[in-house]
Amino acid sequence: VASDAQRRTIYALSTPFGKAGVAVVRVSGPDALAVKQMITRPVMKKSSKKENIPWMMERCRIVHPIHNHTLDDGLVVFFKGPRSFTTEDVLELHTHSGRAIINSVLSALASIPSCRPAEAGEFTRRAFEGGRLDLTQVEGLKDLINAETESQRQMALEAAGGAARAQFEQLRSTIIECLVFVEGFIDFGEDVDELGQEHMYEEARVRARKISEVIQGHLNDNRRGEILRSGIRLAIFGPPNAGKSSLLNFLAQREAAIVTPIPGTTRDVLELTLDIGGLPVIVADTAGLRKSDNVVESIGIDRARNIVKGSDILLCVLSLPDVLINSSTGLRVEIPSSLQPLITPHTLFLLNKGDLTTVSSDNFDDLLKNSELTGRAWLTSLQNNHGTAEFLVGFTKTLKEIYDIQGDDITGRNPLITHARHRDHLDTALQHLNYFLTIPLEQVDFAAEELRYAAKAIGKVSGLIDNEDVLDVLFRDFCIGK
Ligand code: GDP
Ligand code: ZN
């Protein structure tokens, strides 16, 4: 980390490079105000008293500091540190957005010796180093920029605003409280009688037990936050010709917007990210199973099994006429034996091509009961668009139940863990806390050590303990100008 003396003033374009209404160039560092004097000229003559008022937009001409040519007409705002994004003095130049304008402004800045171009994420990094953001907020900010669905946006906004930071800080400070009790009697042990010592130790243990439970609760969240952040992985599978592609088309074209087509990691598997009821759902279409009926038995199943293994939700599409049997107890669905290995108690079913059967909404409930599929199967005719709306409503509701989302509030209970990194550190903290709880009073020095490790692990989530490697990776993923 550069000391203040070495710290250069950095600049970058913070909006996309190209034609648009407005472009914003950001400048941050000790010379921001000097840069303002060099590169802008007020349009309206003002009393000097009115110049350089922080946080106030000023009309200006933007000029080249050496030959003084006007580059553009624009606006300038000066943010006085530490009340700025980076905590340093910051200048924002708002110009018209066009390649030549942007290039001329950037080269004007380049001609100022104390300035240099910012690296990717460097503004955010300075905000972190200035203590304005902790790592969970940095991650939140990054996730916010990358958010593609409503649930992602809401979660990221909360994290960027410091909701997770506050929770982690609370956990850490409670552990420090325990430590105070334990260390207190290491330091003053001789002055406290045995009963008093036991009492203090018990106070620490009560608190530690409580935090241990809280952390365990967060760790037992079925990776909800991580899944909502990165997308729910949905595998659509089933025999050839059941209607899998028709379903995918329905989901993609009608009710949900295709957000990003991702080339599949496995050959023949197409992945799409859809927004279903505000939830990011990454759909894998197991098109590879189509090759031929025989292949389904061998390679196909292997391939499907891999997809199924890496998925959060399984949706099996069956052609109802092919799987319907009329038994003594009534109509029933028999799942083909080749698919049996892929089915779990949580697998959802779409019983398609209902138009080719006598099954209707009247006898469908009985059919589900007989087949032990109640609550997790829908009847559709994708060809005629029958039952599809009901399926979508039911499916969305099921997803929201699984991920514990109530009503329209997509994030519901705020999930604390949104990155694997948080989980790792919380897990470490929990191990030290639980170990602490096994240590008897006689070994109080070891006990204190365990609490210290636990607090340190939580501190790593916020970035209190700086680790250049983590930081480099985190900020590298930002774009230039952020
Ligand atoms: P996939 O092999 O599982 O992907 O199945 P497709 O979606 O490609 O559909 C196979 C065939 O079944 C196509 O000719 C579809 O038009 C037809 N099909 C799909 N859904 C229905 C349906 O609900 N009713 C009928 N009668 N045909 C359907
Ligand atoms: Zn298909």
Side-chain angles (χ1 to χ4, degrees), residues 241-294:
N241 276 316
K244 298 182 298 296
S245 299
S246 305
L247 172 65
L248 201 69
N249 287 340
F250 165 74
L251 287 176
Q253 290 167 15
R254 310 274 182 99
E255 307 297 332
I258 295 184
V259 181
T260 353
I262 311 166
T265 40
T266 318
R267 236 160 31 104
D268 299 333
V269 177
L270 173 74
E271 285 191 340
L272 296 173
T273 301
L274 305 176
D275 181 329
I276 298 181
L279 297 170
V281 179
I282 304 164
V283 188
D285 178 25
T286 55
L289 298 186
R290 266 177 82 104
K291 286 198 173 150
S292 84
D293 285 14
N294 311 347

Short mmCIF file of all heavy atoms in Angstrom, two decimals, residues 241-294:
data_model
loop_
_atom_site.label_atom_id
_atom_site.label_comp_id
_atom_site.label_asym_id
_atom_site.label_seq_id
_atom_site.Cartn_x
_atom_site.Cartn_y
_atom_site.Cartn_z
N ASN A 241 -37.71 -36.50 -27.10
CA ASN A 241 -39.05 -36.18 -27.59
C ASN A 241 -40.11 -35.94 -26.53
O ASN A 241 -41.30 -35.90 -26.84
CB ASN A 241 -39.55 -37.27 -28.53
CG ASN A 241 -39.04 -37.04 -29.93
OD1 ASN A 241 -39.07 -35.90 -30.41
ND2 ASN A 241 -38.56 -38.08 -30.57
N ALA A 242 -39.70 -35.80 -25.29
CA ALA A 242 -40.69 -35.58 -24.24
C ALA A 242 -41.19 -34.13 -24.26
O ALA A 242 -42.29 -33.84 -23.80
CB ALA A 242 -40.09 -35.90 -22.88
N GLY A 243 -40.36 -33.23 -24.79
CA GLY A 243 -40.75 -31.82 -24.84
C GLY A 243 -39.78 -30.90 -24.12
O GLY A 243 -40.13 -29.77 -23.77
N LYS A 244 -38.54 -31.38 -23.91
CA LYS A 244 -37.55 -30.57 -23.17
C LYS A 244 -37.24 -29.27 -23.92
O LYS A 244 -37.24 -28.19 -23.32
CB LYS A 244 -36.26 -31.37 -22.96
CG LYS A 244 -36.45 -32.63 -22.13
CD LYS A 244 -35.15 -33.36 -21.91
CE LYS A 244 -34.50 -33.85 -23.20
NZ LYS A 244 -35.32 -34.86 -23.92
N SER A 245 -36.99 -29.41 -25.22
CA SER A 245 -36.66 -28.20 -25.98
C SER A 245 -37.86 -27.27 -26.06
O SER A 245 -37.70 -26.05 -26.01
CB SER A 245 -36.17 -28.56 -27.38
OG SER A 245 -35.01 -29.34 -27.27
N SER A 246 -39.03 -27.87 -26.18
CA SER A 246 -40.24 -27.04 -26.21
C SER A 246 -40.38 -26.26 -24.91
O SER A 246 -40.76 -25.08 -24.90
CB SER A 246 -41.50 -27.91 -26.41
OG SER A 246 -41.36 -28.70 -27.55
N LEU A 247 -40.05 -26.91 -23.80
CA LEU A 247 -40.12 -26.24 -22.50
C LEU A 247 -39.13 -25.09 -22.44
O LEU A 247 -39.45 -23.98 -21.99
CB LEU A 247 -39.84 -27.25 -21.38
CG LEU A 247 -39.71 -26.62 -19.98
CD1 LEU A 247 -41.02 -26.00 -19.54
CD2 LEU A 247 -39.23 -27.64 -18.96
N LEU A 248 -37.92 -25.38 -22.89
CA LEU A 248 -36.89 -24.35 -22.85
C LEU A 248 -37.29 -23.15 -23.70
O LEU A 248 -37.13 -22.00 -23.29
CB LEU A 248 -35.56 -24.93 -23.34
CG LEU A 248 -34.35 -24.15 -22.88
CD1 LEU A 248 -34.15 -24.32 -21.39
CD2 LEU A 248 -33.11 -24.60 -23.63
N ASN A 249 -37.84 -23.44 -24.87
CA ASN A 249 -38.31 -22.35 -25.72
C ASN A 249 -39.40 -21.56 -25.04
O ASN A 249 -39.43 -20.33 -25.10
CB ASN A 249 -38.83 -22.89 -27.05
CG ASN A 249 -37.69 -23.35 -27.94
OD1 ASN A 249 -36.54 -22.96 -27.73
ND2 ASN A 249 -37.99 -24.20 -28.89
N PHE A 250 -40.30 -22.29 -24.41
CA PHE A 250 -41.38 -21.61 -23.69
C PHE A 250 -40.81 -20.69 -22.61
O PHE A 250 -41.15 -19.52 -22.52
CB PHE A 250 -42.33 -22.64 -23.07
CG PHE A 250 -43.25 -22.07 -22.03
CD1 PHE A 250 -44.33 -21.26 -22.40
CD2 PHE A 250 -43.02 -22.29 -20.68
CE1 PHE A 250 -45.16 -20.71 -21.43
CE2 PHE A 250 -43.84 -21.74 -19.71
CZ PHE A 250 -44.91 -20.95 -20.09
N LEU A 251 -39.90 -21.24 -21.82
CA LEU A 251 -39.33 -20.44 -20.73
C LEU A 251 -38.55 -19.25 -21.28
O LEU A 251 -38.63 -18.14 -20.75
CB LEU A 251 -38.38 -21.30 -19.89
CG LEU A 251 -39.01 -22.34 -18.97
CD1 LEU A 251 -37.93 -23.17 -18.29
CD2 LEU A 251 -39.89 -21.66 -17.92
N ALA A 252 -37.82 -19.49 -22.33
CA ALA A 252 -36.93 -18.45 -22.83
C ALA A 252 -37.68 -17.37 -23.61
O ALA A 252 -37.36 -16.20 -23.51
CB ALA A 252 -35.85 -19.06 -23.70
N GLN A 253 -38.66 -17.77 -24.39
CA GLN A 253 -39.27 -16.81 -25.29
C GLN A 253 -40.49 -16.11 -24.73
O GLN A 253 -40.78 -14.99 -25.09
CB GLN A 253 -39.66 -17.49 -26.61
CG GLN A 253 -38.45 -17.88 -27.41
CD GLN A 253 -38.81 -18.83 -28.53
OE1 GLN A 253 -39.98 -18.97 -28.86
NE2 GLN A 253 -37.81 -19.47 -29.09
N ARG A 254 -41.22 -16.80 -23.89
CA ARG A 254 -42.49 -16.21 -23.48
C ARG A 254 -42.38 -15.44 -22.19
O ARG A 254 -42.49 -14.25 -22.14
CB ARG A 254 -43.56 -17.31 -23.29
CG ARG A 254 -43.65 -18.26 -24.43
CD ARG A 254 -44.59 -17.72 -25.49
NE ARG A 254 -44.74 -18.67 -26.59
CZ ARG A 254 -45.75 -19.50 -26.71
NH1 ARG A 254 -46.69 -19.52 -25.80
NH2 ARG A 254 -45.82 -20.32 -27.75
N GLU A 255 -42.13 -16.20 -21.14
CA GLU A 255 -42.33 -15.63 -19.81
C GLU A 255 -41.06 -15.05 -19.21
O GLU A 255 -41.11 -14.25 -18.31
CB GLU A 255 -42.90 -16.68 -18.86
CG GLU A 255 -44.14 -17.36 -19.38
CD GLU A 255 -45.30 -16.40 -19.57
OE1 GLU A 255 -45.34 -15.39 -18.86
OE2 GLU A 255 -46.13 -16.66 -20.46
N ALA A 256 -39.94 -15.52 -19.68
CA ALA A 256 -38.71 -15.08 -19.04
C ALA A 256 -37.77 -14.55 -20.10
O ALA A 256 -37.76 -15.03 -21.22
CB ALA A 256 -38.07 -16.24 -18.30
N ALA A 257 -37.01 -13.56 -19.72
CA ALA A 257 -36.06 -12.99 -20.67
C ALA A 257 -34.76 -13.77 -20.61
O ALA A 257 -34.31 -14.15 -19.53
CB ALA A 257 -35.79 -11.54 -20.32
N ILE A 258 -34.19 -14.02 -21.77
CA ILE A 258 -32.85 -14.61 -21.77
C ILE A 258 -31.91 -13.51 -21.34
O ILE A 258 -31.88 -12.44 -21.91
CB ILE A 258 -32.43 -15.07 -23.17
CG1 ILE A 258 -33.34 -16.19 -23.64
CG2 ILE A 258 -30.97 -15.51 -23.16
CD1 ILE A 258 -32.94 -16.78 -24.96
N VAL A 259 -31.16 -13.78 -20.31
CA VAL A 259 -30.25 -12.76 -19.83
C VAL A 259 -28.88 -12.92 -20.48
O VAL A 259 -28.38 -12.03 -21.12
CB VAL A 259 -30.17 -12.77 -18.30
CG1 VAL A 259 -29.24 -11.68 -17.84
CG2 VAL A 259 -31.54 -12.57 -17.71
N THR A 260 -28.30 -14.09 -20.32
CA THR A 260 -27.01 -14.33 -20.95
C THR A 260 -26.95 -15.75 -21.49
O THR A 260 -27.23 -16.68 -20.74
CB THR A 260 -25.84 -14.27 -19.93
OG1 THR A 260 -26.36 -13.83 -18.69
CG2 THR A 260 -24.72 -13.44 -20.41
N PRO A 261 -26.60 -15.93 -22.72
CA PRO A 261 -26.33 -17.30 -23.16
C PRO A 261 -24.88 -17.64 -22.80
O PRO A 261 -23.96 -16.93 -23.14
CB PRO A 261 -26.51 -17.21 -24.68
CG PRO A 261 -26.49 -15.77 -25.03
CD PRO A 261 -26.42 -14.95 -23.78
N ILE A 262 -24.73 -18.70 -22.04
CA ILE A 262 -23.39 -19.11 -21.63
C ILE A 262 -23.05 -20.38 -22.41
O ILE A 262 -23.82 -21.33 -22.38
CB ILE A 262 -23.34 -19.46 -20.13
CG1 ILE A 262 -23.98 -18.35 -19.31
CG2 ILE A 262 -21.92 -19.72 -19.66
CD1 ILE A 262 -24.26 -18.75 -17.87
N PRO A 263 -21.91 -20.43 -23.08
CA PRO A 263 -21.56 -21.68 -23.74
C PRO A 263 -21.39 -22.78 -22.71
O PRO A 263 -20.77 -22.56 -21.67
CB PRO A 263 -20.24 -21.37 -24.45
CG PRO A 263 -19.80 -20.05 -23.96
CD PRO A 263 -20.91 -19.39 -23.22
N GLY A 264 -21.96 -23.93 -22.96
CA GLY A 264 -21.96 -24.99 -21.96
C GLY A 264 -20.57 -25.49 -21.64
O GLY A 264 -19.68 -25.44 -22.47
N THR A 265 -20.41 -25.92 -20.40
CA THR A 265 -19.11 -26.47 -20.02
C THR A 265 -18.99 -27.88 -20.59
O THR A 265 -17.92 -28.31 -21.00
CB THR A 265 -18.97 -26.51 -18.49
OG1 THR A 265 -20.22 -26.92 -17.94
CG2 THR A 265 -18.58 -25.17 -17.94
N THR A 266 -20.09 -28.60 -20.59
CA THR A 266 -20.11 -29.93 -21.19
C THR A 266 -20.56 -29.75 -22.65
O THR A 266 -21.42 -28.93 -22.93
CB THR A 266 -21.14 -30.82 -20.48
OG1 THR A 266 -21.04 -30.60 -19.08
CG2 THR A 266 -20.91 -32.27 -20.80
N ARG A 267 -19.98 -30.51 -23.53
CA ARG A 267 -20.39 -30.42 -24.92
C ARG A 267 -21.86 -30.80 -25.04
O ARG A 267 -22.36 -31.61 -24.28
CB ARG A 267 -19.57 -31.39 -25.75
CG ARG A 267 -18.84 -30.72 -26.91
CD ARG A 267 -17.69 -31.59 -27.37
NE ARG A 267 -17.97 -33.00 -27.17
CZ ARG A 267 -18.30 -33.83 -28.17
NH1 ARG A 267 -18.40 -33.39 -29.39
NH2 ARG A 267 -18.50 -35.11 -27.92
N ASP A 268 -22.54 -30.24 -25.97
CA ASP A 268 -23.94 -30.56 -26.25
C ASP A 268 -24.90 -30.03 -25.19
O ASP A 268 -26.09 -30.27 -25.26
CB ASP A 268 -24.20 -32.08 -26.35
CG ASP A 268 -23.40 -32.68 -27.48
OD1 ASP A 268 -23.10 -31.93 -28.43
OD2 ASP A 268 -23.10 -33.87 -27.40
N VAL A 269 -24.37 -29.39 -24.18
CA VAL A 269 -25.28 -28.86 -23.17
C VAL A 269 -25.35 -27.35 -23.35
O VAL A 269 -24.35 -26.67 -23.33
CB VAL A 269 -24.82 -29.19 -21.75
CG1 VAL A 269 -25.76 -28.56 -20.74
CG2 VAL A 269 -24.79 -30.69 -21.56
N LEU A 270 -26.55 -26.89 -23.55
CA LEU A 270 -26.74 -25.46 -23.73
C LEU A 270 -27.17 -24.88 -22.40
O LEU A 270 -28.04 -25.43 -21.73
CB LEU A 270 -27.83 -25.24 -24.78
CG LEU A 270 -28.27 -23.80 -24.97
CD1 LEU A 270 -27.21 -23.01 -25.71
CD2 LEU A 270 -29.58 -23.75 -25.73
N GLU A 271 -26.54 -23.81 -22.00
CA GLU A 271 -26.96 -23.16 -20.76
C GLU A 271 -27.47 -21.76 -21.03
O GLU A 271 -26.86 -21.02 -21.79
CB GLU A 271 -25.78 -23.07 -19.78
CG GLU A 271 -25.45 -24.39 -19.14
CD GLU A 271 -24.48 -24.20 -17.99
OE1 GLU A 271 -23.79 -23.17 -17.93
OE2 GLU A 271 -24.42 -25.11 -17.17
N LEU A 272 -28.57 -21.44 -20.42
CA LEU A 272 -29.13 -20.10 -20.54
C LEU A 272 -29.40 -19.58 -19.15
O LEU A 272 -29.82 -20.34 -18.29
CB LEU A 272 -30.49 -20.16 -21.25
CG LEU A 272 -30.56 -20.62 -22.69
CD1 LEU A 272 -32.02 -20.75 -23.09
CD2 LEU A 272 -29.85 -19.62 -23.57
N THR A 273 -29.16 -18.29 -18.93
CA THR A 273 -29.58 -17.71 -17.66
C THR A 273 -30.90 -17.02 -17.88
O THR A 273 -31.02 -16.14 -18.72
CB THR A 273 -28.54 -16.73 -17.12
OG1 THR A 273 -27.31 -17.42 -16.95
CG2 THR A 273 -28.98 -16.19 -15.76
N LEU A 274 -31.92 -17.45 -17.16
CA LEU A 274 -33.25 -16.87 -17.29
C LEU A 274 -33.61 -16.15 -16.01
O LEU A 274 -33.10 -16.47 -14.94
CB LEU A 274 -34.28 -17.97 -17.53
CG LEU A 274 -34.05 -18.91 -18.71
CD1 LEU A 274 -35.11 -19.99 -18.73
CD2 LEU A 274 -34.06 -18.12 -20.00
N ASP A 275 -34.49 -15.20 -16.16
CA ASP A 275 -35.02 -14.51 -15.00
C ASP A 275 -36.42 -15.07 -14.79
O ASP A 275 -37.34 -14.78 -15.54
CB ASP A 275 -35.06 -13.01 -15.32
CG ASP A 275 -35.59 -12.18 -14.16
OD1 ASP A 275 -36.44 -12.69 -13.40
OD2 ASP A 275 -35.19 -11.01 -14.05
N ILE A 276 -36.57 -15.94 -13.80
CA ILE A 276 -37.88 -16.53 -13.53
C ILE A 276 -38.40 -15.96 -12.22
O ILE A 276 -37.86 -16.25 -11.16
CB ILE A 276 -37.80 -18.08 -13.50
CG1 ILE A 276 -37.34 -18.60 -14.86
CG2 ILE A 276 -39.16 -18.68 -13.10
CD1 ILE A 276 -37.24 -20.11 -14.97
N GLY A 277 -39.42 -15.15 -12.33
CA GLY A 277 -39.99 -14.51 -11.15
C GLY A 277 -38.96 -13.71 -10.37
O GLY A 277 -39.03 -13.63 -9.16
N GLY A 278 -38.00 -13.10 -11.06
CA GLY A 278 -36.98 -12.30 -10.40
C GLY A 278 -35.79 -13.10 -9.92
O GLY A 278 -34.82 -12.55 -9.42
N LEU A 279 -35.87 -14.43 -10.06
CA LEU A 279 -34.75 -15.27 -9.62
C LEU A 279 -33.86 -15.62 -10.81
O LEU A 279 -34.36 -15.92 -11.89
CB LEU A 279 -35.29 -16.57 -9.01
CG LEU A 279 -36.14 -16.42 -7.77
CD1 LEU A 279 -36.81 -17.75 -7.42
CD2 LEU A 279 -35.27 -15.97 -6.61
N PRO A 280 -32.54 -15.58 -10.58
CA PRO A 280 -31.64 -15.97 -11.67
C PRO A 280 -31.59 -17.49 -11.76
O PRO A 280 -31.22 -18.17 -10.81
CB PRO A 280 -30.29 -15.41 -11.23
CG PRO A 280 -30.37 -15.33 -9.75
CD PRO A 280 -31.82 -15.21 -9.36
N VAL A 281 -32.01 -18.02 -12.90
CA VAL A 281 -32.02 -19.48 -13.06
C VAL A 281 -31.16 -19.84 -14.27
O VAL A 281 -31.40 -19.36 -15.37
CB VAL A 281 -33.46 -20.01 -13.25
CG1 VAL A 281 -33.45 -21.52 -13.45
CG2 VAL A 281 -34.33 -19.64 -12.06
N ILE A 282 -30.13 -20.63 -14.02
CA ILE A 282 -29.28 -21.07 -15.12
C ILE A 282 -29.80 -22.43 -15.57
O ILE A 282 -29.76 -23.41 -14.82
CB ILE A 282 -27.81 -21.21 -14.67
CG1 ILE A 282 -27.32 -19.88 -14.08
CG2 ILE A 282 -26.93 -21.64 -15.83
CD1 ILE A 282 -26.05 -20.02 -13.28
N VAL A 283 -30.35 -22.47 -16.77
CA VAL A 283 -30.99 -23.68 -17.25
C VAL A 283 -30.02 -24.46 -18.13
O VAL A 283 -29.45 -23.91 -19.06
CB VAL A 283 -32.24 -23.36 -18.08
CG1 VAL A 283 -33.01 -24.64 -18.39
CG2 VAL A 283 -33.14 -22.39 -17.33
N ALA A 284 -29.85 -25.73 -17.81
CA ALA A 284 -29.06 -26.61 -18.67
C ALA A 284 -30.03 -27.49 -19.43
O ALA A 284 -30.80 -28.23 -18.82
CB ALA A 284 -28.11 -27.44 -17.83
N ASP A 285 -30.01 -27.40 -20.73
CA ASP A 285 -30.83 -28.28 -21.55
C ASP A 285 -29.96 -29.46 -21.94
O ASP A 285 -28.91 -29.29 -22.53
CB ASP A 285 -31.31 -27.53 -22.80
CG ASP A 285 -32.13 -28.45 -23.70
OD1 ASP A 285 -32.71 -29.43 -23.19
OD2 ASP A 285 -32.18 -28.19 -24.91
N THR A 286 -30.40 -30.61 -21.58
CA THR A 286 -29.59 -31.80 -21.86
C THR A 286 -29.87 -32.29 -23.28
O THR A 286 -30.27 -33.42 -23.49
CB THR A 286 -29.90 -32.92 -20.84
OG1 THR A 286 -31.30 -33.15 -20.88
CG2 THR A 286 -29.47 -32.50 -19.46
N ALA A 287 -29.62 -31.38 -24.23
CA ALA A 287 -29.87 -31.71 -25.63
C ALA A 287 -29.03 -32.90 -26.07
O ALA A 287 -29.39 -33.62 -26.99
CB ALA A 287 -29.57 -30.50 -26.51
N GLY A 288 -27.92 -33.09 -25.39
CA GLY A 288 -27.03 -34.19 -25.74
C GLY A 288 -27.68 -35.56 -25.63
O GLY A 288 -27.20 -36.53 -26.21
N LEU A 289 -28.77 -35.62 -24.90
CA LEU A 289 -29.44 -36.91 -24.73
C LEU A 289 -30.25 -37.31 -25.96
O LEU A 289 -30.82 -38.38 -26.01
CB LEU A 289 -30.38 -36.87 -23.52
CG LEU A 289 -29.73 -36.61 -22.19
CD1 LEU A 289 -30.74 -36.74 -21.06
CD2 LEU A 289 -28.57 -37.56 -21.96
N ARG A 290 -30.29 -36.44 -26.93
CA ARG A 290 -31.19 -36.68 -28.06
C ARG A 290 -30.67 -37.66 -29.07
O ARG A 290 -31.43 -38.20 -29.86
CB ARG A 290 -31.44 -35.35 -28.78
CG ARG A 290 -32.67 -34.65 -28.31
CD ARG A 290 -32.82 -33.34 -29.02
NE ARG A 290 -33.42 -33.53 -30.34
CZ ARG A 290 -34.69 -33.24 -30.62
NH1 ARG A 290 -35.46 -32.77 -29.69
NH2 ARG A 290 -35.18 -33.42 -31.82
N LYS A 291 -29.36 -37.89 -29.08
CA LYS A 291 -28.74 -38.60 -30.19
C LYS A 291 -29.53 -39.81 -30.68
O LYS A 291 -29.89 -39.89 -31.84
CB LYS A 291 -27.30 -38.99 -29.85
CG LYS A 291 -26.42 -37.74 -29.90
CD LYS A 291 -24.97 -38.05 -30.00
CE LYS A 291 -24.19 -36.76 -30.23
NZ LYS A 291 -22.87 -36.80 -29.69
N SER A 292 -29.75 -40.76 -29.82
CA SER A 292 -30.63 -41.86 -30.20
C SER A 292 -31.16 -42.52 -28.95
O SER A 292 -30.60 -42.34 -27.87
CB SER A 292 -29.89 -42.89 -31.05
OG SER A 292 -29.21 -43.78 -30.19
N ASP A 293 -32.17 -43.28 -29.11
CA ASP A 293 -32.79 -43.90 -27.94
C ASP A 293 -31.82 -44.79 -27.17
O ASP A 293 -31.83 -44.83 -25.96
CB ASP A 293 -34.02 -44.73 -28.36
CG ASP A 293 -35.18 -43.80 -28.70
OD1 ASP A 293 -34.92 -42.59 -28.86
OD2 ASP A 293 -36.32 -44.28 -28.79
N ASN A 294 -30.97 -45.52 -27.90
CA ASN A 294 -30.04 -46.44 -27.24
C ASN A 294 -29.02 -45.69 -26.39
O ASN A 294 -28.65 -46.12 -25.32
CB ASN A 294 -29.25 -47.28 -28.26
CG ASN A 294 -30.18 -47.90 -29.27
OD1 ASN A 294 -31.39 -47.89 -29.07
ND2 ASN A 294 -29.62 -48.41 -30.34
#
